[in-house]
Structure formats: C-alpha cells, structure tokens
Amino acid sequence: MKYLSFFTILLMTLVSCKEAKKTETKPLETKVANSSADQEKIHPGKKIIETECYLCHNPKASEVSMIAPPMVAIKKHYIDSTTTKEQFIEAIVGWINDPQEEKSKMPGALNRFGIMPYQPYPEETISLIAEYMYDYEIAQPEWFDEHFQREHGRRMGKGKGMGKGKGMGKGKGMGKGKGMGNGMGPGSKHGLQTDYGDIGLGYALATKAALGKNLMKAIQEKGTEGAVAFCNLRAIELTDSISVMNNAQIKRVSDKPRNPLNKANKEELGYIATFKEQVAAGIEVDPVVVPGNEEVTVYYPITTNTMCLQCHGKPNEQVKPATMATLRKLYPEDMAVGYNVNEVRGIWSVVFDKNK
C-alpha cells in the first residue's frame, strides 16, 4: 500500500511537470509571434511606404484608378528564388535614384504608367523601403491575383519571396472587411456604414489618381511650376467632371486653402481637426461616414508626403523661390504652405445617393 501511494504521487508529479512545461512553452511561442508582428509595426520602412509610396502605389485603389503599379507587383517582379536582400535593395535604390527604361523589370507597367519621375529621396530612406519590402508581407489589392493570372497566365508561386517573411500576402487591412475590390463596391464585415465608407473612399481615390497622373505628367514636362499651373487651371474642373461621371459630389477642402473655393466650412473643420489628432497619434484612419435621409457623406484625410512639399512645404526651402513666385501670382491668398510630411492638409468630402 505504501509503495502504491508513492507510485501515485510520483505519477501525479510527472504529469504536473509535463503540464507545466506545456504552459511555459505556449506563452513563449506567442511571445515570439507577437515580437515579429511588433517588429513589422515599428519598422521605419513601413511608415515611409504608407506616407510616401502610397500616393501613387495605393493598395486600396481600384485597378483602373492606379497611377503606378502596386508595391506587391514590384516585389513580385524584382524578387525570385535567387535574389538576396542586398541585391534587391541595390536594384530599388538604383531605380529610384535614376529611373531609366533599360533598368526596369516591369515592361508592362512602363507601357501603362510611363517612367517614374525622379524623387530626391536619400539613399538611406530608399534602403529602408526596400528592406521592409523584402522582409515583410506587402499590402495587396484584392484584384491583384486575378490581374497577375490574366497578365502572366498563372497564379503566384510558393517559392522564395512568396512565403510568410517575404510574402505576397494581402497584409494588414486588405482582407474582405476593408478591401476595395474594384474600388467602388461593398464587401465589409462591419455592416452597411462601412460599405458606404468603401464606396466614398473609392470615389476619392479615383479622383486622386486622376489628379495625380496629371500632376506627375506636368512635373515631368514643365517642372513644379507646371504642376502649379495645372492645379490652377484644371484641378477643380477635373474633380467636377469625375463627380458628374459618378453622380456624386466630390471636393477637396482645407483649413488652410490655396484656392478660396476649397475653404472648409465649420462642420468640415471639425473633421479636419479629428483627422489631425489621429494622424499625429499614429492611429490608422478610416473614412468617416455621415448618413442622411437620402444621401450619405464620406470624409477622408488628405495627407502630405515628400512630393507634396514641393508646393506645400516651407517657403524657399522645400518650395523653391521660382515655385513661390508662381504661387503668389496665381494664388494671392495662398495659405497652403508650411507643411511637413505626414500631416493632414485637408479632407475629401464625397456625397452620393444611399441607393448606390
């Protein structure tokens, strides 16, 4: 009996130790996973891509409204099973510092979008962008898989550059909940109100793409002064034509307008202030949806990046004297200067019928 009791106690002790070991191991695994996610979140390249690159390479834009290929497409074309991180970084730095047709590995994108304009980014900044692209999943438009199969006759493979670390997955925010699909349609897990947000954001991004494409062309052909002249003559006209085409009211308003016609009203000023607080705090911003009886209004921030500062940065520093002279001539009451990167310059206001 004494031996039986001893054996029972020994058995219970061994089982307890085994369970304790499981308990110790599980949090460690979770800790490693969380650590990887945290590293991705704080990697400086992620923020640079979101504030600088997504002006043209926005993964939430519809396929037809893109003005440059999505970042995931660049990664797909520049990384294969033999590409090292150093080789990838070198290729991206070489391209952005001196974009030339013979350097590109994306002839289809060149035919559709043309050559990327030169951007005066420090090599260290470009390296951080490339490093993040190589090591982490890049946000992927919902339409990209179908597009890639259509263009290349097969879906993306599973080799190096396609898995977890160097993956081509959808990334945060690109699932069905907030995915843009064709840029205009619903598909949200959060209900009707978020569907309206997706629709309104789709209209805003389509308008932004049209304006961006024309601005890039003006900068390439006539420099920054040419872009200012385009905005003066065509920006509101182009926005209005897209509004008519979509049976919506699309406008850009600001608390510091360049054109007095873009001055925000009291209600819009409140949303601008809210978006400023969110962006400054590093909070991921979603469209604000304000439903009415028959119409719905969607607000979304307009934020600055390095390219914006050519016309909206500090006078005689980022905004060159020649550009300042053009601005003073065309916009005597201009207030839209003095910005830094990743600041709210204004908001999109999109109004459309509820039955869309």
Side-chain angles (χ1 to χ4, degrees):
M1 189 68 177
K2 183 188 296 184
Y3 294 112
L4 181 60
S5 299
F6 175 78
F7 179 76
T8 303
I9 292 170
L10 179 62
L11 183 61
M12 290 174 65
T13 302
L14 290 172
V15 170
S16 298
C17 290
K18 188 176 182 181
E19 291 300 320
K21 191 172 182 180
K22 286 182 181 178
T23 305
E24 290 172 4
T25 304
K26 195 169 185 180
L28 181 61
E29 293 170 351
T30 305
K31 186 176 181 181
V32 170
N34 289 341
S35 175
S36 178
D38 289 342
Q39 287 176 5
E40 177 179 2
K41 188 178 293 185
I42 65 175
H43 192 289
K46 181 176 189 291
K47 179 56 68 176
I48 297 170
I49 286 176
E50 291 172 346
T51 58
E52 300 293 334
C53 306
Y54 283 176
L55 177 69
C56 300
H57 302 271
N58 197 324
K60 292 185 178 180
S62 66
E63 183 175 0
V64 296
S65 67
M66 294 292 294
I67 62 174
M71 301 296 283
V72 68
I74 299 170
K75 180 170 181 174
K76 170 65 179 174
H77 284 81
Y78 277 77
I79 297 179
D80 61 26
S81 60
T82 64
T83 308
T84 65
K85 182 192 289 190
E86 290 72 22
Q87 290 171 334
F88 178 67
I89 292 174
E90 183 181 357
I92 297 300
V93 169
W95 168 256
I96 295 178
N97 275 338
D98 184 26
Q100 299 290 335
E101 185 173 346
E102 59 270 17
K103 290 183 179 181
S104 175
K105 297 183 180 182
M106 304 178 69
L110 277 180
N111 289 334
R112 177 179 172 184
F113 304 113
I115 296 178
M116 173 182 173
Y118 168 72
Q119 301 293 319
Y121 291 120
E123 186 169 322
E124 180 183 355
T125 298
I126 304 171
S127 296
L128 288 172
I129 293 171
E131 182 180 286
Y132 180 80
M133 289 177 67
Y134 190 91
D135 285 336
Y136 298 100
E137 291 184 355
I138 302 297
Q140 175 177 312
E142 288 195 341
W143 49 263
F144 182 73
D145 279 350
E146 182 180 347
H147 162 84
F148 191 86
Q149 184 184 32
R150 184 173 66 247
E151 294 296 318
H152 300 277
R154 59 182 177 82
R155 289 198 178 274
M156 291 179 290
K158 297 293 184 180
K160 184 177 179 181
M162 305 300 165
K164 180 72 174 177
K166 304 175 181 61
M168 309 303 283
K170 292 185 176 3
K172 183 178 179 181
M174 299 311 296
K176 296 293 183 182
K178 294 182 184 177
M180 293 304 298
N182 63 4
M184 301 297 180
S188 170
K189 63 185 179 183
H190 298 297
L192 190 61
Q193 206 175 50
T194 306
D195 291 347
Y196 287 142
D198 284 352
I199 294 170
L201 181 58
Y203 289 143
L205 291 177
T207 309
K208 178 181 176 181
L211 291 170
K213 185 177 291 186
N214 282 276
L215 277 172
M216 299 279 274
K217 183 178 179 182
I219 291 173
Q220 283 179 316
E221 294 178 353
K222 301 177 182 179
T224 307
E225 292 78 22
V228 173
F230 163 79
C231 286
N232 179 257
L233 296 172
R234 296 290 315 280
I236 291 180
E237 175 188 317
L238 182 58
T239 302
D240 288 344
S241 68
I242 297 174
S243 297
V244 171
M245 183 175 65
N246 290 288
N247 193 27
Q249 301 169 43
I250 306 169
K251 61 179 181 176
R252 298 176 300 161
V253 297
S254 176
D255 56 333
K256 293 171 57 177
R258 172 153 289 166
N259 188 328
L261 295 175
N262 296 125
K263 185 177 181 179
N265 60 34
K266 184 177 180 180
E267 182 180 10
E268 292 162 343
L269 287 172
Y271 291 114
I272 291 173
T274 299
F275 283 132
K276 283 184 177 181
E277 291 176 0
Q278 292 176 338
V279 171
I283 298 171
E284 186 175 352
V285 177
D286 288 323
V288 171
V289 178
V290 182
N293 292 331
E294 296 182 358
E295 295 180 329
V296 62
T297 304
V298 175
Y299 299 105
Y300 193 73
I302 300 169
T303 54
T304 55
N305 68 7
T306 299
M307 190 168 72
C308 300
L309 300 189
Q310 295 179 51
C311 295
H312 296 282
K314 294 178 182 177
N316 301 316
E317 292 183 25
Q318 291 101 335
V319 186
K320 301 302 181 185
T323 305
M324 283 301 306
T326 303
L327 287 170
R328 291 191 183 103
K329 178 181 178 181
L330 298 177
Y331 300 100
E333 302 176 46
D334 180 28
M335 299 171 62
V337 292
Y339 290 98
N340 206 335
V341 294
N342 199 33
E343 293 184 347
V344 175
R345 190 175 66 79
I347 57 173
W348 290 98
S349 171
V350 184
V351 183
F352 54 91
D353 292 338
K354 276 188 170 182
N355 60 4
K356 279 189 175 293

